[in-house]
Amino acid sequence: MTIKDKKVTALIGPSGCGKSTFLRTLNRMNDLIEGSRVSGKIILDGRNIYEPGVDVVELRKKVGMVFQKPNPFPMSIYDNVAYGPRIHGIKDKTKLDEIVEKSLKAAALWDEVKDRLKSSALGLSGGQQQRLCIARVLAVEPDVILMDEPCSALDPISTMKIEELIIDLKEKYTIVIVTHNMQQAGRVSDFTAFFLNGELVEYGITEEVFYNPKNKKTEDYITGRFG
Ligand SMILES: Nc1ncnc2c1ncn2[C@@H]1O[C@H](COP(=O)(O)OP(=O)(O)OP(=O)(O)O)[C@@H](O)[C@H]1O
């Protein structure tokens, strides 16, 4: 499967089919699970990310991740966004201010928080927290953003804001999103991959997978016969 640069790819399929597991292979998050085993290759910028000698911290900087439940750190809004750049060695206050502002703007959150950057991130609404988590990923300048059901804990208005944000972000970033919501996959993605029982069944342009699926199992899932 070739994940296209600066496009949104949606991973769909019934519960337990392996969407999240597949997503987590893309930045080696499964390495953190004891006893996990990976075969095959994931090629990013011409190099297999599972090759010996790959710096996993650098890889995860390049391939950022946003989780199902917003998980801001228990610190200020500013410090949440500055966290990654600081870890990567940026100490200059002016530079950090710039990164924080730029990332919050890109995550469509700046106007809502610019007057309370020193307040705790935990005081934000769920939708704002999720956009903060996106800003935190953007602050380390990734190439790829992985999103694991980023809207499943959010209300419809916050969901709409995140979807608009995803569409804006694909100008600069390659996005892979796991979603349970077929309408969401239809609205935000350019490409869709359908998984079933741990296998990739079909992958293609979203409209084709939705309206003209090649595989009978995809058709059955899309038309609601199971899942
Ligand atoms: N290729 C695979 N090889 C071995 N185990 C797998 C594979 N894919 C998934 N699994 C296992 O199947 C279970 C469900 O996988 P996963 O959570 O990725 O599914 P999901 O499609 O994201 O489900 P949900 O939509 O409910 O979040 C996990 O325990 C995972 O370890």
Side-chain angles (χ1 to χ4, degrees):
M1 167 176 175
T2 306
I3 294 172
K4 298 268 191 326
D5 193 29
K6 300 198 174 58
K7 299 281 179 205
V8 179
T9 299
L11 310 181
I12 63 164
S15 209
C17 69
K19 305 179 292 292
S20 300
T21 306
F22 175 76
L23 187 79
R24 294 162 62 94
T25 60
L26 302 178
N27 70 345
R28 293 187 52 172
M29 288 292 277
N30 291 327
D31 289 18
L32 307 172
I33 299 171
E34 212 176 310
S36 68
R37 184 180 58 83
V38 178
S39 58
K41 289 181 189 167
I42 307 263
I43 311 287
L44 176 68
D45 298 334
R47 189 173 184 202
N48 178 14
I49 64 168
Y50 284 92
E51 205 173 272
V54 167
D55 180 340
V56 179
V57 174
E58 272 306 304
L59 170 71
R60 297 199 187 121
K61 179 170 180 272
K62 240 186 196 182
V63 186
M65 187 151 190
V66 177
F67 298 87
Q68 198 163 351
K69 281 208 193 110
N71 58 349
F73 303 133
M75 49 177 80
S76 72
I77 295 169
Y78 183 100
D79 288 341
N80 261 274
V81 184
Y83 187 86
R86 279 182 178 137
I87 282 199
H88 291 285
I90 300 177
K91 293 200 176 68
D92 180 67
K93 169 90 172 70
T94 320
K95 180 74 188 145
L96 284 172
D97 287 354
E98 256 173 43
I99 294 173
V100 169
E101 180 171 342
K102 193 172 150 208
S103 308
L104 287 168
K105 279 183 174 161
L109 187 60
W110 175 251
D111 288 339
E112 290 160 61
V113 300
K114 63 175 188 285
D115 301 321
R116 49 171 169 150
L117 293 175
K118 295 287 165 200
S119 312
S120 169
L122 303 180
L124 297 172
S125 72
Q128 288 173 326
Q129 289 188 6
Q130 197 59 307
R131 278 180 281 144
L132 180 66
C133 293
I134 294 174
R136 197 170 63 188
V137 168
L138 298 180
V140 294
E141 300 187 336
D143 295 331
V144 183
I145 306 174
L146 309 177
M147 297 183 169
D148 195 351
E149 297 194 47
C151 303
S152 66
L154 305 182
D155 60 79
I157 294 188
S158 307
T159 297
M160 202 177 76
K161 284 192 183 156
I162 301 274
E163 287 185 7
E164 285 169 359
L165 180 58
I166 292 171
I167 293 166
D168 284 349
L169 290 175
K170 76 170 176 183
E171 280 200 14
K172 285 199 189 148
Y173 307 95
T174 302
I175 298 174
V176 187
I177 177 172
V178 168
T179 177
H180 256 120
N181 180 330
M182 306 271 270
Q183 283 88 355
Q184 179 168 74
R187 283 191 298 264
V188 304
S189 74
D190 304 289
F191 293 87
T192 293
F194 170 59
F195 286 80
L196 189 64
N197 299 330
E199 283 181 2
L200 174 67
V201 172
E202 185 159 349
Y203 171 55
I205 294 169
T206 295
E207 282 90 50
E208 285 175 13
V209 174
F210 274 62
Y211 300 113
N212 194 16
K214 291 191 181 69
N215 192 299
K216 176 83 171 67
K217 287 178 194 155
T218 316
E219 186 182 334
D220 287 350
Y221 181 70
I222 301 272
T223 53
R225 278 192 208 120
F226 69 93

